[in-house]
């Protein structure tokens, strides 16, 4: 019920050793100029108590990235106002692309990934977040992620 992207769409494998580039399981910096955090887009599954989650990357301003980093291990950080960000993961099965959809990043308690709220537009991913998806749609997503076309 969860699929995750290992890095933002802009990350390239050769950046691993490049100056000013860092990729961890929760944060990413590219050339000391682009700043990303990992979070979850949760889609309600109709008729189920469990949601489907996309593990995605969202770009933040340098100021918000630094603030999020300062509070990373701070109890009560979930009371921090949400941060604006741009979705930086291209999710399969969605057209148009999910890159650069507007988001709000809601910090959760220490140890939990942030909740990513999409701007309420008519983009299919935003609609899915608002209205939910069926188990059949979850199956389609799983097949697309686990068995991509050659």
């Amino acid at each position: 019920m969860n699929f995750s992207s290992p890095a933002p769409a802009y990350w390239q494998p050769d950046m691993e050793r490049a100056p000013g580039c860092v990729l961890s399981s929760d944060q990413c910096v590219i050339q000391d100029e682009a700043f990303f955090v990992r979070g979850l887009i949760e889609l309600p599954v109709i008729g189920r108590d469990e949601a489907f989650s996309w593990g995605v990357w969202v770009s933040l301003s340098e100021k918000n990235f630094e603030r999020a980093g300062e509070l990373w291990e701070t109890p009560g950080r979930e009371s921090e106002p949400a941060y604006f960000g741009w979705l930086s993961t291209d999710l399969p099965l969605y057209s148009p692309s999910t890159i650069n959809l507007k988001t709000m990043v809601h910090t959760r308690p220490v140890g939990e990934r942030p909740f990513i709220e999409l701007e309420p537009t008519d983009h299919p991913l935003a609609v899915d977040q608002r209205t939910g998806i069926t188990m059949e749609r979850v199956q389609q997503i799983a097949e697309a992620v686990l068995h991509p076309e050659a």
Side-chain angles (χ1 to χ4, degrees):
M1 294 293 282
N2 181 311
F3 290 102
S4 293
S5 174
Y10 310 104
W11 180 264
Q12 300 297 319
D14 63 342
M15 293 177 175
E16 196 170 297
R17 293 188 175 91
C21 294
V22 177
L23 175 64
S24 73
S25 60
D26 295 303
Q27 300 174 333
C28 179
V29 177
I30 297 177
Q31 298 176 339
D32 288 327
E33 294 178 3
F35 307 91
F36 307 87
V37 294
R38 193 178 199 175
L40 297 174
I41 294 175
E42 296 173 348
L43 308 179
V45 178
I46 298 166
R48 304 274 304 244
D49 292 334
E50 185 180 13
F52 174 84
S53 298
W54 284 110
V56 298
W57 293 86
V58 174
S59 68
L60 296 179
S61 69
E62 183 174 8
K63 177 183 171 187
N64 285 342
F65 180 81
E66 288 176 0
R67 178 72 177 156
E70 289 169 9
L71 298 174
W72 204 256
E73 297 294 329
T74 304
R77 70 182 190 168
E78 63 273 17
S79 63
E80 181 78 357
Y83 307 117
F84 174 81
W86 298 98
L87 187 57
S88 301
T89 301
D90 193 18
L91 298 176
L93 296 178
Y94 285 98
S95 181
S97 172
T98 58
I99 294 287
N100 289 330
L101 291 178
K102 292 179 182 179
T103 70
M104 294 302 289
V105 178
H106 298 269
T107 307
R108 291 179 169 166
V110 174
E112 294 182 35
R113 291 201 195 281
F115 169 69
I116 308 302
E117 177 187 13
L118 294 163
E119 178 183 44
T121 65
D122 61 356
H123 188 282
L125 181 59
V127 172
D128 283 353
Q129 189 175 47
R130 283 193 312 276
T131 64
I133 60 175
T134 63
M135 277 305 296
E136 290 78 19
R137 180 65 172 160
V138 171
Q139 182 66 32
Q140 288 175 343
I141 292 168
E143 289 173 6
V145 171
L146 298 174
H147 306 288
E149 294 181 31

